[in-house]
Amino acid sequence: MGMKLPAIVSLFFLIAAGAWADEAQERLDVIRYGTETEIAVLIESLKKDTAYADDALDAELIRLCRTRPDQATQNKRIVTGVLSFFGERGKGGLEDAALAIIANHANEAQDTVASAIDYVGKLKPPKAAAVLQEVINDGASDLLGPAIRALGNVAEGGTRGSAADEIADFLIDLYTSRDPGAGNNGTLLSALGETKSKKAVPFLVDIVKDGEQSASLRIAALEALSKIGDGAALDAILGALSAPEPTVRTAAVAALSPFSGQQADDAIIGNFRDSVFRIRAAAAKAAGERKLAAAIPYLKYRAEKDEARIVREESVRALGAIGNNAAYSALENLFSEPKNPDYVRIMAAEMLLNNNTDAYVQRVIDAMDDAQKTRKTSLYNGFLRILSNAKSGKLASLAERFFTSGSAVEKSAALDIVRNNRFTSLTEAVRNLTDKKNGAALAAKAQAVLEKL
């Protein structure tokens, strides 16, 4: 009679587990015995592996980056690659090694030092501020920008009170007394924003108000003030709304989002009328970030009528971010109106699904089916995409339908639905697609979904 389904599935998972174990051992062998080229290729493949989670392999990579010559490799290409790989994941374990590299920057390869600086800027170890300040004081021009950026990140990542204020004072002194160079001024102002120190506010306000400063520096100062969010900066930001440069006005509107009060609300709503489309887009984004309910009628109008696609898109996103009943009503109208552009209807549907998937999923399925019947391919594909990324128990029947009678594209979407919702009841349908007669790409995707299940 053959094996029953549970036995077949169990056998498959035993085989898959064995294959995974072989691959894990191969990766460990490359790290332990491979050339720099082989290790570099492995690291690049690991960066692309979204499912990567291997503590044993991480431990081997950390061993490679120890700084004592009798303990590990001194190949800087490998060290640079591992630091980059760990930094992208926010993975700890290399803090001491990175700090040692930075402290010895004069004798290290520049790429390696830059990777170490970027790593400590992301991991924010306690000793990083002092080491980064030493690099800045040494004046190594190629490292100055990355070190300033990392120093701001270190302050943001847990340095509070007087320590953050000290970093702000250090950066202000660097700007005013030691000239970090025109190319680093904007980076420095951005770093000041990351410190969240109120001591930086008067300095940044002066730059915003100074009409002699370049537009790029005033924009950087506005963005920094927005990150700090101190009420003492509000008047300067409101004043920048009258700047002659549209780019400065756009930055001023965007900077209003963290500030409460009627003045800020009125300023955001008033800029929906600006003739510069980027300013209208910034107003829409700010309204969404502060969940400004008073802006809903303006957002609905802009989503329906604006001549610029970016304004329409930001308006739809803002309605989704506000997320109250009035916003849902506006989104339903945008989604349901056939006269609206396809991308507006698709985005509105996506916002509805993001906020309350179960309430809207069947309506989106119906709209998708209608688009297919009326041969609106772009609209159909858009609805299919957002449904394949949604999470709801009500999607199981759609996935089953696609597995039974769907096209290759629809079967691929069904695999996404199963993976995102862990519909183990459809395991057999997924397994059937692993046969390469269904196409190599679809079979490979089905295999990956099975492994995740």
Side-chain angles (χ1 to χ4, degrees):
M1 291 181 62
M3 287 188 291
K4 294 182 180 180
L5 178 58
I8 295 172
V9 174
S10 297
L11 178 62
F12 169 81
F13 284 120
L14 285 171
I15 295 170
W20 179 88
D22 289 343
E23 182 183 18
Q25 185 59 52
E26 287 179 8
R27 287 174 167 180
L28 281 171
D29 289 344
V30 170
I31 297 300
R32 289 168 177 166
Y33 315 117
T35 66
E36 67 170 53
T37 301
E38 291 166 343
I39 294 172
V41 170
L42 173 61
I43 290 172
E44 288 304 311
S45 71
L46 295 178
K47 287 182 179 181
K48 298 174 184 177
D49 183 357
T50 57
Y52 174 81
D54 191 336
D55 290 338
L57 192 60
D58 282 345
E60 287 295 317
L61 290 170
I62 290 170
R63 184 187 63 79
L64 278 178
C65 293
R66 289 174 184 160
T67 55
R68 280 175 51 193
D70 62 328
Q71 285 190 321
T73 181
Q74 288 297 290
N75 189 299
K76 300 309 177 186
R77 182 183 178 191
I78 294 174
V79 174
T80 302
V82 176
L83 284 168
S84 173
F85 177 49
F86 274 46
E88 288 178 6
R89 297 156 54 219
K91 175 77 174 182
L94 294 175
E95 293 90 340
D96 289 342
L99 290 171
I101 290 168
I102 299 169
N104 191 40
H105 64 273
N107 300 313
E108 297 280 357
Q110 185 173 314
D111 287 348
T112 305
V113 180
S115 291
I117 289 173
D118 182 67
Y119 180 78
V120 300
K122 290 174 178 174
L123 273 292
K124 309 170 180 67
K127 300 176 183 178
V131 177
L132 291 168
Q133 286 173 343
E134 288 180 12
V135 173
I136 294 168
N137 286 334
D138 284 350
S141 58
D142 292 334
L143 299 175
L144 199 54
I148 290 170
R149 187 180 303 110
L151 183 59
N153 291 336
V154 166
E156 187 274 336
T159 304
R160 292 291 181 266
S162 61
D165 290 343
E166 288 173 8
I167 291 176
D169 284 336
F170 175 87
L171 291 170
I172 292 170
D173 179 68
L174 177 64
Y175 188 99
T176 57
S177 304
R178 291 184 282 165
D179 186 15
N184 293 317
N185 283 336
T187 300
L188 190 150
L189 296 179
S190 179
L192 275 174
E194 297 294 347
T195 69
K196 305 293 191 295
S197 171
K198 293 183 179 181
K199 290 194 73 174
V201 172
F203 171 74
L204 294 167
V205 163
D206 286 344
I207 291 176
V208 170
K209 289 181 175 179
D210 187 355
E212 298 299 316
Q213 293 282 1
S214 68
S216 61
L217 288 183
R218 294 173 72 196
I219 290 168
L222 284 163
E223 291 171 349
L225 288 171
S226 183
K227 291 175 184 176
I228 297 170
D230 185 68
L234 181 57
D235 286 345
I237 295 172
L238 292 172
L241 294 171
S242 302
E245 306 95 336
T247 53
V248 174
R249 300 204 306 276
T250 302
V253 174
L256 287 170
S257 61
F259 295 91
S260 60
Q262 195 62 46
Q263 276 186 301
D265 291 350
D266 291 345
I268 290 171
I269 290 174
N271 277 279
F272 281 110
R273 301 183 185 278
D274 199 292
S275 60
V276 178
F277 74 89
R278 293 195 183 279
I279 294 177
R280 299 195 301 277
K285 186 174 182 180
E289 288 175 349
R290 63 193 289 118
K291 300 186 183 299
L292 184 55
I296 290 174
Y298 297 86
L299 293 167
K300 182 176 182 296
Y301 183 85
R302 286 292 136 208
E304 291 175 333
K305 305 291 186 182
D306 206 281
E307 62 189 25
R309 175 167 178 158
I310 188 173
V311 179
R312 288 187 164 196
E313 290 178 345
E314 289 291 359
S315 297
V316 175
R317 289 192 192 98
L319 289 167
I322 293 170
N324 61 17
N325 288 336
Y328 292 152
S329 177
L331 287 168
E332 288 176 12
N333 289 334
L334 292 168
F335 159 61
S336 302
E337 177 50 65
K339 294 180 181 179
N340 286 330
D342 289 350
Y343 70 88
V344 169
R345 297 186 65 193
I346 294 164
M347 284 189 68
E350 187 172 18
M351 295 302 105
L352 291 169
L353 290 177
N354 288 345
N355 281 284
N356 193 340
T357 308
D358 286 344
Y360 293 103
V361 66
Q362 189 57 53
R363 289 181 60 180
V364 177
I365 291 173
D366 292 342
M368 178 188 70
D369 290 341
D370 183 68
Q372 186 177 45
K373 291 175 184 176
T374 54
R375 300 182 184 276
K376 295 179 179 178
T377 305
S378 173
L379 188 62
Y380 172 79
N381 288 336
F383 288 144
L384 179 64
R385 174 184 59 79
I386 62 175
L387 286 167
S388 67
N389 292 322
K391 292 184 178 181
S392 170
K394 295 183 178 181
L395 285 165
S397 58
L398 178 66
E400 188 172 13
R401 185 181 101 192
F402 284 160
F403 281 136
T404 302
S405 59
S407 65
V409 172
E410 290 168 334
K411 284 183 169 67
S412 179
L415 290 172
D416 290 330
I417 292 170
V418 170
R419 181 188 61 220
N420 292 333
N421 292 275
R422 296 192 61 81
F423 287 145
T424 54
S425 61
L426 294 174
T427 298
E428 181 64 13
V430 174
R431 191 174 68 84
N432 289 338
L433 287 182
T434 60
D435 193 321
K436 290 187 178 179
K437 70 181 182 182
N438 295 301
L442 196 61
K445 185 173 182 178
Q447 183 81 19
V449 172
L450 268 180
E451 292 172 8
K452 289 182 184 299
L453 287 175

